[in-house]
Amino acid sequence: MLLASAVVVWEWLNEHGRWRPYSPAVSHHIEAVIRAGPRAGSVVLGQADRRLAPYLLDLHSMHQFRQDTGTIRPVRRSYYDPSSAPGKGVVWEWENDSGSWTPYDMEVGITIQHAYEKQHPWIDLTSIGFCYVIDFSTMGQINRQTQRKRRIRRRLDLVYPLVTGTLPKSQSWPASPGVSSSPPTPPCTCPQCLLVMSVKAAVAAGANGTAVPQQRKASALSGGPKPPIPAPGLKPPDGTATTRSSLKTLASQVSRRQAASTPALSSASSATSPPAANGKTTRASLNTLNRTHLQRLAIAQSRVLIASGVPTVPVKNLNGSSPVNPALAGITGILMSAAGLPVCLTRPPKLVLHPPPVSKSEIKSIPGVANTCRKTTKKQAKKGKTPEEVLKKYLQKVRHPPDEDCTICMEHLSTPSGYKGPQPAVKPDLVGKLSKCGHIYHLHCLVAMYNNGNKDGSLQCPTCKTIYGVKTGTQPPGKMEYHLIPHSLPGHPDCKTIRIIYNIPPGVQGPEHPNPGKSFTARGFPRHCYLPDSEKGRKVLKLLLVAWDRRLIFAIGTSSTTGESDTVIWNEIHHKTEFGSNLTGHGYPDANYLDNVLAELAVQGITEESTAQEKD
């Protein structure tokens, strides 16, 4: 234990293992629920942010539960210095592909804010595990591997809630019983809490290998005397009967509550925690509950809650397959309804990656697009031009450099280049201006940057990304097929679908790749992608063909999803790989996708003019 002041930030764990912060408003709401009383068990996040309407936070298990899909994620209560970014209401965000703003992880945001307050011109995030450089002069984030640049911003929000006093060293809630300084609070005897306690008692009994004796249906529903406990040696009922027995016992308690205004606490205790049988039993758990039993649980739950006046919504779709554990979903639904919260546990939407089967006779060529297949071979290296000769086409000499820094080496333009790598055959004090965008650099730095790149005769301004010449990539050899199939994509009911099939085999890296001579893997091929067969969809296809010919669709690097290195990865041009759903964000409907991918192609120097250049 330690005595201090800190700001509290509630965070949830995403699928990539990163802790993502809730907004200050949501954290304030969670803290307010905790302060409201020791009985706080769950928090409805939609009350603080309507975008989080499907989410419920369970304070006892420290998990976030999504009601419409059944997804459960861990949460934590973290403490940070009041002088850091969350204590000042400062939020650092980056612009995602859809044009909206995403906050950085709290650790990253605090690091960026610290450098900003120290008036550093930039900060490298490699030390905390991210291959990005934050440039405060341009308010941009630069990927050290791909050189892709995104906008960032700094905005002010609410200050995260401040707590003062004795804080637990661990970032968890609630504190362990040994740490708590307040006396235990007697349990509540309302119908909702009785239901929660009964279910918890039944689950705990099953988990410990102890079964609760099953009562006679007539006695339980009529509120009559309790039946005798089974004699030692008698085989106890299984975990399903255990939970069902507890619900029946609770129904009896509710009936007696309606007959008598204030039942004794000892009566509730005896009802929810009956003596254990002494006979041998198998270890039971929630996994022993099948869907039939869960339906019975849901029915019993509804009857009990309706009798106590608590509005409920039935737990649906417990039949059929689902990635969500039905037992966990059912019990969670019971506990949530017991708290008086609406429950809508439905089967998650099904991931539809591929269209229905299509025969060969139904596959057609695309009008206005030649052929149905493209292949790429190994890179055709352009010979006979030195880096200095290439750059001479795009640069104008600057005799009197302005009082600015070279954004490559971060040294003054009036002083020699600060580049420390292999020295190009260029004087380090020469300065040049790019002809289109007008940005000025040390010629020494530009030659070094060109030598570290693809050396294809093109140059890209590191500040504004303007492309000089024809940019090509390092995509390994492969095949791209494209054709029409007689099915429509969600959101595009009036047209057929263009299907693109990419196939790249594993191989050995060439001189332009990260590790020449080393083998590379190609996971997930063939990869199927989809476009609507509309005017704009065909336009995107034609530009993707140019990108394929220029070897810009794929690259060899480290996978952001699996962490595998020396493998084929997507190269900054997003594709839709889900045909009939959009569960991963890579499917349809997506009204902005075609415009977004056109913008991504333009960043690679591929526009409508590019198609004419390819024909020439």
Side-chain angles (χ1 to χ4, degrees):
M1 303 294 290
L2 54 98
L3 192 65
S5 295
V7 287
V8 174
V9 179
W10 282 84
E11 299 168 309
W12 57 278
L13 188 67
N14 69 10
E15 63 273 17
H16 303 299
R18 300 294 307 177
W19 287 100
R20 305 289 296 133
Y22 290 106
S23 68
V26 173
S27 291
H28 273 282
H29 176 60
I30 298 172
E31 290 294 307
V33 172
I34 293 173
R35 289 194 303 270
R39 286 177 52 195
S42 59
V43 183
V44 183
L45 301 184
Q47 294 177 352
D49 186 343
R50 77 175 89 184
R51 294 171 299 180
L52 302 181
Y55 296 95
L56 185 89
L57 193 150
D58 181 29
L59 294 173
H60 296 295
S61 66
M62 289 297 284
H63 280 83
Q64 168 192 283
F65 180 80
R66 179 164 179 162
Q67 299 182 61
D68 54 349
T69 64
T71 303
I72 297 177
R73 299 185 186 276
V75 300
R76 72 178 184 182
R77 186 187 194 224
S78 298
Y79 303 101
Y80 294 96
D81 192 319
S83 63
S84 62
K88 297 178 178 179
V90 175
V91 179
W92 285 90
E93 299 174 317
W94 55 276
E95 187 179 29
N96 58 35
D97 294 333
S98 64
S100 57
W101 293 91
T102 301
Y104 284 98
D105 296 353
M106 193 54 63
E107 174 191 5
V108 180
I110 290 174
T111 303
I112 296 174
Q113 175 63 16
H114 180 73
Y116 179 83
E117 292 175 349
K118 296 290 185 181
Q119 297 184 345
H120 294 167
W122 53 273
I123 179 173
D124 190 338
L125 301 180
T126 305
S127 61
I128 58 174
F130 295 90
C131 60
Y132 297 108
V133 172
I134 303 298
D135 186 349
F136 294 116
S137 61
T138 61
M139 291 300 281
Q141 168 193 282
I142 303 170
N143 188 313
R144 291 172 59 90
Q145 292 182 344
T146 65
Q147 295 300 308
R148 182 178 182 182
K149 185 175 181 180
R150 294 181 184 271
R151 290 195 301 161
I152 65 171
R153 73 177 183 181
R154 176 183 182 268
R155 67 176 180 85
L156 295 179
D157 202 331
L158 292 173
V159 175
Y160 277 90
L162 179 69
V163 293
T164 304
T166 303
L167 303 176
K169 292 181 181 179
S170 61
Q171 297 176 329
S172 60
W173 173 267
S176 61
V179 174
S180 176
S181 59
S182 58
T185 305
C188 177
T189 58
C190 68
Q192 297 97 317
C193 292
L194 285 175
L195 180 58
V196 173
M197 289 188 293
S198 68
V199 174
K200 286 184 177 180
V203 172
N208 293 329
T210 305
V212 183
Q214 184 176 5
Q215 300 184 11
R216 294 190 189 93
K217 182 175 180 180
S219 299
L221 296 180
S222 62
K226 297 179 182 179
I229 299 174
L234 185 63
K235 184 178 180 180
D238 61 9
T240 303
T242 297
T243 310
R244 198 162 56 234
S245 169
S246 298
L247 286 172
K248 291 178 181 179
T249 305
L250 177 61
S252 174
Q253 288 294 322
V254 173
S255 300
R256 287 198 293 272
R257 279 180 61 89
Q258 293 175 347
S261 57
T262 55
L265 180 60
S266 59
S267 174
S269 300
S270 63
T272 58
S273 304
N278 296 326
K280 294 182 180 180
T281 180
T282 58
R283 189 174 183 85
S285 67
L286 287 177
N287 292 328
T288 63
L289 301 182
N290 58 32
R291 294 187 180 91
T292 303
H293 296 139
L294 285 171
Q295 286 177 323
R296 293 174 182 172
L297 283 174
I299 294 171
Q301 164 224 356
S302 300
R303 288 175 178 171
V304 170
L305 294 175
I306 291 172
S308 63
V310 178
T312 63
V313 176
V315 179
K316 300 177 181 179
N317 289 346
L318 289 179
N319 291 326
S321 61
S322 167
V324 181
N325 187 320
L328 182 59
I331 294 299
T332 306
I334 294 172
L335 298 178
M336 287 165 49
S337 291
L341 300 172
V343 180
C344 182
L345 293 178
T346 58
R347 190 184 311 142
K350 185 178 180 181
L351 182 69
V352 182
L353 290 177
H354 303 294
V358 179
S359 65
K360 290 186 178 180
S361 61
E362 293 178 307
I363 296 176
K364 306 293 182 183
S365 60
I366 303 168
V369 180
N371 304 316
T372 59
C373 178
R374 292 280 181 94
K375 292 183 179 180
T376 57
T377 57
K378 292 186 177 180
K379 179 183 176 183
Q380 301 290 327
K382 295 185 178 182
K383 299 180 180 179
K385 288 188 178 181
T386 65
E388 293 79 4
E389 290 174 329
V390 172
L391 296 180
K392 188 177 180 180
K393 299 187 299 181
Y394 310 132
L395 286 173
Q396 301 171 357
K397 287 186 178 181
V398 177
R399 297 185 182 277
H400 303 288
D403 186 20
E404 298 176 359
D405 289 341
C406 171
T407 56
I408 298 177
C409 69
M410 303 306 293
E411 297 290 344
H412 282 291
L413 291 169
S414 57
T415 62
S417 168
Y419 177 71
K420 303 300 182 183
Q423 299 298 305
V426 179
K427 292 182 180 180
D429 56 349
L430 292 180
V431 174
K433 180 173 72 172
L434 292 172
S435 57
K436 290 182 183 178
C437 60
H439 288 108
I440 302 175
Y441 306 94
H442 288 117
L443 188 58
H444 193 86
C445 294
L446 286 175
V447 172
M449 184 183 74
Y450 181 85
N451 285 332
N452 289 330
N454 202 23
K455 302 177 190 175
D456 59 357
S458 70
L459 182 70
Q460 188 167 19
C461 175
T463 299
C464 65
K465 304 306 179 186
T466 299
I467 295 174
Y468 296 82
V470 177
K471 179 182 179 181
T472 61
T474 60
Q475 175 180 291
K479 182 171 67 172
M480 174 184 180
E481 299 177 72
Y482 42 95
H483 48 248
L484 282 181
I485 57 175
H487 299 290
S488 298
L489 292 165
H492 300 274
D494 300 328
C495 61
K496 296 179 182 179
T497 296
I498 299 172
R499 178 167 63 184
I500 304 171
I501 304 176
Y502 295 110
N503 202 350
I504 294 179
V508 178
Q509 299 181 50
E512 73 273 23
H513 293 135
N515 297 297
K518 186 177 180 180
S519 62
F520 67 88
T521 59
R523 310 293 187 191
F525 288 95
R527 299 187 185 182
H528 292 232
C529 308
Y530 304 95
L531 292 168
D533 183 32
S534 60
E535 181 180 354
K536 188 176 286 187
R538 293 183 187 182
K539 175 182 176 181
V540 169
L541 173 64
K542 292 177 182 178
L543 297 183
L544 287 176
L545 289 171
V546 175
W548 175 264
D549 291 337
R550 295 183 183 178
R551 306 173 71 210
L552 293 169
I553 301 291
F554 296 97
I556 295 177
T558 300
S559 171
S560 59
T561 54
T562 66
E564 182 182 12
S565 58
D566 298 304
T567 189
V568 179
I569 59 174
W570 293 105
N571 186 37
E572 305 292 339
I573 300 175
H574 287 80
H575 286 63
K576 293 295 189 181
T577 53
E578 285 183 66
F579 175 82
S581 58
N582 195 16
L583 300 185
T584 64
H586 303 303
Y588 294 91
D590 186 341
N592 299 320
Y593 168 65
L594 295 178
D595 291 326
N596 290 340
V597 75
L598 286 172
E600 291 173 345
L601 287 162
V603 169
Q604 303 290 340
I606 301 175
T607 59
E608 288 188 81
E609 291 76 16
S610 303
T611 57
Q613 293 175 5
E614 293 294 314
K615 291 178 182 178
D616 296 339

